[in-house]
Amino acid sequence: MPQPIPTLRWEGGVDGHLVLLDQTRLPNEVVELHCRTVEDVWQAIKRLAVRGAPAIGVAAAYGVCLSLNSSGSLPLAGRVGEGVRSGYPALSPLPSPPHQGEGTGGNNIEVVRLACDYLATSRPTAVNLFWALNRMRDVAACGLAPEQLPQALLVEARAIHAEDAAMCTAIGQHGADLLADLPVGTGILTHCNAGALATAGEGTALSVIFELARRGKRPHVWVDETRPLLQGARLTAWELTQRNIDCTLITDSMAAQVMRQGRVQAVITGADRIAANGDSANKIGTYSVAVLAHAHDVPFYIAAPSSTFDPSIATGDQIPIEQRLGDEITCGFGQRTAPEGVNVYNPAFDVTPARLIRAIITERGVIKPGADL
Ligand code: MRU
């Protein structure tokens, strides 16, 4: 059974708006979030109402469409946050959004450019965000008549959306082919959420698992809860349960024990950015899992679309790592669990070196880290 509401969808035509499944409220509430301005989308990305590298890219592309949308003249405050009980700490102050709904004539291109610059400040690590925004910038720069631009932008955003869904399907098939020899009931560990909630399709890592299930392999998924924001517990466990996939939730620190007990035959995670040499950034804790997998001779795979590759940087050392507020650790979900004033380090991602990655499963096939796509 697929999830009850799509992760993201565009409602209406050029003057339409973006509707997101608000992931801060899962698994307790299934609630849609209506984004009608660029700032709404920026906020939704920043506070992880929409998250996961591919989904962030798709949402941002639709966000650019909103920059020329006449409904953008509505007051900004109060809509995204309305009634939200996410348990997430408050955000730091916003950079100024571009003027919206005023894009007439030649100003349209400038409005789009400013919207892209603004959305690019929402989160730094997932390269899919910048990849999608570059595609939208290219549409704005291709010399269309100003009145044609809104439609052209929407066509491009829809294309990015559809391509991502197709890439997920292909990743699932290539991954299931790769793991075809694993026995029925095999144990697969995953970290964070790289499922339908993180993409416009069935996901990357979870797409492989869903395809294995369709092929009768009955995988058993070990779900790392994924501190501090619990994407594994709140989102991956929810998705797997929705689809009747056998799974067991563990805290992140239990991964070594289940591997030692021989319960894990493969690890598959997503990625937020893959450098030219194959070093891969993903949710904080992924690197530890890769080290553990190596120590227990368990193959560690990354599943990611080509939009996650950043050939412009040589190694993972150059991947910008998002630093998030310490409150996520000391006061996550509204419950204080550490003394006031304690120093906190809260990087949202880490980098797994290519040498620990057995293979990267892409929509174009399975590659060894560092190979040309
Ligand atoms: O902070 P998040 O929830 O956006 O982090 C998401 C991840 O790290 C995912 O594993 C990654 O984006 C791949 S999603 C297909």
Side-chain angles (χ1 to χ4, degrees):
M1 181 179 67
Q3 66 194 38
I5 296 178
T7 299
L8 74 187
R9 66 187 167 86
W10 181 261
E11 193 167 287
V14 265
D15 268 338
H17 68 280
L18 176 64
V19 185
L20 303 171
L21 173 55
D22 186 344
Q23 299 189 35
T24 65
R25 297 174 76 165
L26 289 171
N28 297 325
E29 296 172 287
V30 179
V31 179
E32 286 189 329
L33 184 65
H34 292 257
C35 297
R36 292 187 167 83
T37 68
V38 185
E39 188 189 15
D40 287 349
V41 177
W42 189 96
Q43 286 261 18
I45 294 172
K46 182 72 179 176
R47 67 184 191 84
L48 276 52
V50 60
R51 33 68 49 206
I56 291 170
V58 178
Y62 283 126
V64 176
C65 299
L66 293 171
S67 67
L68 298 181
N69 189 325
S70 55
S71 66
S73 55
L74 292 167
L76 294 175
R79 277 195 307 277
V80 156
E82 243 165 20
V84 170
R85 294 187 304 278
S86 66
Y88 285 77
L91 296 174
S92 41
L94 301 179
S96 300
H99 286 289
Q100 190 162 10
E102 296 170 3
T104 55
N107 285 344
N108 270 0
I109 294 171
E110 184 60 5
V111 169
V112 170
R113 197 181 61 73
L114 288 173
C116 290
D117 290 350
Y118 173 65
L119 286 163
T121 65
S122 56
R123 294 189 77 189
T125 304
V127 76
N128 312 61
L129 170 66
F130 309 98
W131 171 86
L133 291 174
N134 283 341
R135 282 182 59 164
M136 301 305 278
R137 281 184 217 273
D138 288 348
V139 171
C142 78
L144 288 170
E147 64 277 10
Q148 293 176 315
L149 193 50
Q151 181 63 33
L153 289 172
L154 184 56
V155 167
E156 186 67 359
R158 287 193 194 283
I160 290 170
H161 188 158
E163 285 168 32
D164 186 62
M167 289 193 284
C168 289
T169 305
I171 286 170
Q173 285 162 356
H174 290 306
D177 290 347
L178 177 71
L179 302 182
D181 291 339
L182 287 177
V184 171
T186 206
I188 300 178
L189 186 140
T190 192
H191 189 77
C192 194
N193 173 266
L197 290 167
T199 64
E202 279 202 322
T204 59
L206 292 198
S207 179
V208 176
I209 286 163
F210 296 144
E211 182 59 21
L212 285 170
R214 278 190 288 270
R215 295 184 188 185
K217 286 287 190 175
R218 290 194 280 109
H220 183 95
V221 186
W222 294 91
V223 181
D224 273 359
E225 69 172 350
T226 314
R227 284 275 292 153
L229 294 181
L230 307 185
Q231 287 93 333
R234 294 186 305 106
L235 308 178
T236 299
W238 183 76
E239 275 196 47
L240 294 171
T241 307
Q242 291 274 317
R243 297 206 185 211
N244 290 321
I245 305 282
D246 221 13
C247 63
T248 302
L249 179 64
I250 55 174
T251 67
D252 301 346
S253 54
M254 294 171 189
Q257 176 69 352
V258 291
M259 286 188 200
R260 185 158 189 261
Q261 291 171 333
R263 298 172 183 230
V264 177
Q265 280 66 54
V267 176
I268 316 178
T269 75
D272 285 79
R273 193 185 292 233
I274 301 173
N277 72 340
D279 290 352
S280 299
N282 192 50
K283 178 54 52 194
I284 190 75
T286 304
Y287 174 35
S288 323
V289 174
V291 170
L292 292 175
H294 183 71
H296 293 89
D297 209 15
V298 171
F300 176 94
Y301 301 105
I302 293 274
S306 48
S307 52
T308 303
F309 285 72
D310 185 354
S312 75
I313 58 170
T315 76
D317 292 345
Q318 293 146 267
I319 297 177
I321 300 294
E322 178 181 11
Q323 303 295 323
R324 293 187 66 91
L325 293 180
D327 293 14
E328 290 181 348
I329 294 176
T330 58
C331 203
F333 304 96
Q335 178 71 44
R336 177 155 285 284
T337 53
E340 299 265 7
V342 68
N343 288 331
V344 177
Y345 176 49
N346 185 19
F349 300 95
D350 57 27
V351 175
T352 298
R355 68 185 157 73
L356 295 178
I357 302 169
R358 178 74 58 91
I360 303 177
I361 305 160
T362 80
E363 81 279 10
R364 301 183 197 173
V366 176
I367 57 172
K368 297 301 291 175
D372 287 340
L373 243 198

